[in-house]
Amino acid sequence: MLKLTKRTEYGLIALTHLAQRQGEVVPAREIGDHYPIPRRLLAEVLKDLCNADLVASTRGAHGGYALVRPAQELSLGEIVSALEGAPTVSSCGDENLLHGENSCDVQPICPIRSPLVKIKDKIWQMMLTTSLASLAEPHKPYRSLASQTQANGLVKSSIKSP
Amino acid sequence: MLKLTKRTEYGLIALTHLAQRQGEVVPAREIGDHYPIPRRLLAEVLKDLCNADLVASTRGAHGGYALVRPAQELSLGEIVSALEGAPTVSSCGDENLLHGENSCDVQPICPIRSPLVKIKDKIWQMMLTTSLASLAEPHKPYRSLASQTQANGLVKSSIKSP
DNA sequence: AATTATCGGCACTACTTGAGTGCGGATTGA
DNA sequence: TCAATCCGCACTCAAGTAGTGCCGATAATT
Ligand code: SF4
Ligand code: SF4
């Protein structure tokens, strides 16, 4: 359905949070306290972002994560790409990586491959020109609006849905 | 990973084929003969397209499928929407259908929901303004945004119909 | 040095979705 | 009647996603 994974969404949320404290080192704990996101998952995502060099990590007691670039220079495309790979509209890769894994039987005569690549490029282009700042900005600066809502810690009570 | 399902791709292929014989009733058999697509799956997809009133089916001996509208008036958005539901970038529905199934714990304070909806709208808009005809005939330049012409770019000449 | 708060890595389970398949029945033209 | 076609339901198998557990490494604080 053309949709992002939860990982990516969590990553974006975390990054917007970091963007508000740009330069500062923020522990994952704090982000987990503000948003009802499963802690471990958040940690997992932050780790991935760190491996992609979008955030820098500091270990130890006062450790945490910090944006490695200002939010204006961080594109949505980079983030998505780091968290779930570059967008692909068609199942086959876009150009020349066709022969190996993701080859499709239809490929030699596929009438829609080229057009779909163009669509993908447009989407990709759009994401590359959308900065993290423009995601975070249109919202009012909420510093501690949610810190009260669930100060008790774990919020994982409503994950199951029988 | 933000990608279409194979079903949708097969549907698009089938539709481009139908577009070439616009108005004519074409049996699924013929499409299956032209493209190495699993027959049964193709039938499934065509059935879905039929239920969505994008193609009309004729039963019986000389039966088959036909486009119900000219290819110029069939948007990619409609097709995708029919085959896998309207695109959703975020896991939560876009606006007001939030309370039921697809509610997310983060939702009340989610900083990225609104921006993601905008992204989705742009993609959606793009798909709605892309006609099936422009997919089937990649020669006509539609909106020169994709300036990322790779090495091969518009080399598309394998639509030959034997 | 002990403690504590943080990141890091590995591996694991449960669930959802996607791809692909089978078969018998209903329609319609020859 | 016969053959070609669409129709409907249900089913298997593989892959990906969401989420979890545990323990070790690192660094500030005491
Ligand atoms: S070749 Fe055509 S059908 Fe096969 S994956 Fe690429 S776009 Fe989809
Ligand atoms: S609320 Fe935010 S996190 Fe939850 S699904 Fe919607 S966009 Fe994603």
Side-chain angles (χ1 to χ4, degrees):
Chain A
M1 293 208 210
L2 201 61
K3 98 183 152 177
L4 300 175
T5 66
K6 276 255 197 258
R7 272 184 143 82
T8 306
E9 298 188 10
Y10 294 159
L12 286 172
I13 292 177
L15 286 173
T16 58
H17 193 93
L18 290 183
Q20 292 174 349
R21 321 199 148 206
Q22 186 172 333
E24 296 182 49
V25 171
V26 177
R29 179 74 163 280
E30 181 183 313
I31 304 178
D33 281 345
H34 277 64
Y35 305 97
I37 300 176
R39 300 271 175 95
R40 299 267 154 210
L41 236 192
L42 179 61
E44 192 75 16
V45 171
L46 282 168
K47 188 199 63 182
D48 290 349
L49 288 174
C50 190
N51 288 335
D53 288 317
L54 297 186
V55 301
S57 70
T58 309
R59 302 172 73 160
H62 282 176
Y65 296 93
L67 284 186
V68 81
R69 262 181 286 167
Q72 291 80 13
E73 300 176 9
L74 234 186
S75 76
L76 174 61
E78 285 177 284
I79 301 169
V80 170
S81 173
L83 254 32
E84 51 184 304
T88 58
V89 168
S90 50
S91 298
C92 56
D94 40 358
E95 319 107 51
N96 23 33
L97 54 162
L98 337 148
H99 312 296
E101 300 285 338
N102 43 9
S103 69
C104 173
D105 294 345
V106 198
Q107 202 167 283
I109 56 172
C110 182
I112 62 167
R113 209 172 73 79
S114 169
L116 285 187
V117 168
K118 288 182 190 167
I119 302 278
K120 185 216 62 173
D121 283 342
K122 284 187 186 176
I123 296 180
W124 186 228
Q125 182 80 15
M126 191 178 74
M127 287 194 175
L128 282 179
T129 56
T130 302
S131 71
L132 173 61
S134 66
L135 288 188
E137 295 266 342
H139 292 265
K140 69 188 189 78
Y142 44 89
R143 346 188 87 175
S144 59
L145 71 87
S147 55
Q148 304 287 353
T149 49
Q150 34 95 12
N152 279 337
L154 297 181
V155 205
K156 57 169 188 174
S157 59
S158 58
I159 297 179
K160 47 163 172 121
S161 55
Chain B
M1 295 214 209
L2 201 61
K3 97 184 155 178
L4 301 174
T5 66
K6 277 255 197 256
R7 272 183 142 84
T8 306
E9 297 187 11
Y10 294 158
L12 286 171
I13 292 177
L15 286 173
T16 59
H17 193 92
L18 290 183
Q20 292 173 349
R21 321 199 145 206
Q22 185 170 335
E24 297 181 49
V25 172
V26 177
R29 179 75 163 275
E30 181 183 315
I31 304 178
D33 282 342
H34 277 62
Y35 306 97
I37 300 176
R39 303 273 172 94
R40 192 65 192 70
L41 235 192
L42 178 62
E44 192 75 16
V45 171
L46 282 168
K47 188 199 63 181
D48 290 349
L49 287 174
C50 189
N51 288 336
D53 289 318
L54 297 186
V55 301
S57 70
T58 309
R59 303 173 71 161
H62 283 177
Y65 295 94
L67 283 187
V68 80
R69 263 180 285 167
Q72 291 81 13
E73 300 177 9
L74 234 186
S75 76
L76 173 62
E78 284 177 286
I79 301 168
V80 170
S81 172
L83 253 32
E84 51 185 305
T88 57
V89 168
S90 50
S91 299
C92 56
D94 41 358
E95 318 107 51
N96 24 32
L97 54 160
L98 339 146
H99 312 295
E101 300 285 337
N102 44 8
S103 70
C104 172
D105 294 346
V106 199
Q107 202 166 282
I109 56 173
C110 182
I112 62 166
R113 209 171 72 78
S114 168
L116 284 187
V117 168
K118 289 182 190 165
I119 302 277
K120 185 216 62 175
D121 284 341
K122 284 187 186 174
I123 296 179
W124 186 229
Q125 182 76 18
M126 189 178 76
M127 288 193 173
L128 282 179
T129 56
T130 302
S131 72
L132 173 61
S134 65
L135 288 188
E137 304 175 18
H139 303 291
K140 50 187 296 185
Y142 56 134
R143 251 155 118 216
S144 60
L145 201 161
S147 54
Q148 293 185 353
T149 45
Q150 305 283 355
N152 43 5
L154 299 178
V155 186
K156 191 80 208 80
S157 58
S158 53
I159 312 185
K160 56 184 165 68
S161 51

